[in-house]
Amino acid sequence: GWHNKTVLKLKSTELMPDAYIEDAFRWGNLVHRVMCSIKTVNDVENVLQKLLEEGSIAQHEKEEVEAKVLKVVKNTAIEKFFSEGCLVYNEREILDCSGNVYRPDRIAICNDIAAVIDYKTGNTDEKHKQQVNYYAALLNLMGYNKTERYLVYIDRAEVVYW
């Protein structure tokens, strides 16, 4: 009969229990928070220790988050932007000419290159690139001629650049 031909398409989130989704969301936020709190690779341990002491993470989570964060900051494409000697602005507000406020996750200026690094979770999306392109254009207007653009998908430690 017809019922055999009915195909149900479920979004993957519909198959996951709410607790898992909340946990994935919390996990993404946690890694994002750590990434936005560090200037260099050497800050990772201190930031995580502080989160542990304030009760934001448990000991077993600390190790998982640390592994994930180190995988990102030691990625060969971006590790130079997490080294000593870079000027780093985490979540610094930028105004465009129309007065709109933007807040890139990280701008690192090293050897006259201004890198825009934005952290995302979930699937890649063309809008993410457009957003980073706009941040880079704003940096150009501020006088940074050499810009580099990076998207970091922190849940899978993947770095996309163009």
Side-chain angles (χ1 to χ4, degrees), residues 72-83:
V72 169
V73 299
K74 291 185 173 180
N75 183 301
T76 52
I78 56 173
E79 66 183 342
K80 61 181 175 273
F81 300 116
F82 290 90
S83 59

Side-chain angles (χ1 to χ4, degrees), residues 112-152:
D112 79 324
I113 294 169
V116 179
I117 302 173
D118 228 43
Y119 310 121
K120 301 289 184 197
T121 49
N123 297 326
T124 52
D125 187 329
E126 201 50 43
K127 286 197 292 260
H128 298 163
K129 279 191 170 181
Q130 291 165 4
Q131 183 184 27
V132 172
N133 281 339
Y134 192 70
Y135 294 158
L138 289 174
L139 288 174
N140 284 146
L141 289 172
M142 293 163 70
Y144 295 101
N145 300 325
K146 291 186 198 159
T147 57
E148 293 182 8
R149 304 169 201 78
Y150 300 88
L151 276 167
V152 178

Side-chain angles (χ1 to χ4, degrees), residues 4-5 51 64 70 95 99 124 135 139 146 149:
N4 293 337
K5 294 185 178 69
L51 288 175
E64 283 183 63
L70 289 176
L95 289 176
T124 52
Y135 294 158
L139 288 174
K146 291 186 198 159
R149 304 169 201 78

Side-chain angles (χ1 to χ4, degrees), residues 10-151:
L10 291 174
K11 295 198 300 273
S12 60
T13 52
E14 289 176 45
L15 301 172
M16 295 179 198
D18 287 346
Y20 181 84
I21 295 167
E22 279 173 30
D23 196 53
F25 183 72
R26 179 177 171 271
W27 177 250
N29 280 344
L30 205 54
V31 177
H32 195 280
R33 188 170 161 196
V34 174
M35 294 301 301
C36 289
S37 301
I38 62 173
K39 296 265 183 178
T40 74
V41 65
N42 302 327
D43 300 329
V44 175
E45 180 59 38
N46 291 340
V47 168
L48 287 165
Q49 192 56 41
K50 200 186 297 180
L51 288 175
L52 187 67
E53 286 164 12
E54 70 185 33
S56 296
I57 55 171
Q59 181 63 45
H60 71 279
E61 291 175 308
K62 177 180 180 280
E63 287 148 28
E64 283 183 63
V65 173
E66 184 167 18
K68 185 74 81 176
V69 168
L70 289 176
K71 202 170 172 190
V72 169
V73 299
K74 291 185 173 180
N75 183 301
T76 52
I78 56 173
E79 66 183 342
K80 61 181 175 273
F81 300 116
F82 290 90
S83 59
E84 299 289 341
C86 288
L87 192 57
V88 174
Y89 300 104
N90 283 329
E91 299 186 306
R92 180 70 58 92
E93 289 186 351
I94 300 177
L95 289 176
D96 69 6
C97 299
S98 309
N100 300 311
V101 177
Y102 298 91
R103 191 179 289 131
D105 289 328
R106 182 182 186 92
I107 294 171
I109 299 157
C110 308
N111 305 328
D112 79 324
I113 294 169
V116 179
I117 302 173
D118 228 43
Y119 310 121
K120 301 289 184 197
T121 49
N123 297 326
T124 52
D125 187 329
E126 201 50 43
K127 286 197 292 260
H128 298 163
K129 279 191 170 181
Q130 291 165 4
Q131 183 184 27
V132 172
N133 281 339
Y134 192 70
Y135 294 158
L138 289 174
L139 288 174
N140 284 146
L141 289 172
M142 293 163 70
Y144 295 101
N145 300 325
K146 291 186 198 159
T147 57
E148 293 182 8
R149 304 169 201 78
Y150 300 88
L151 276 167

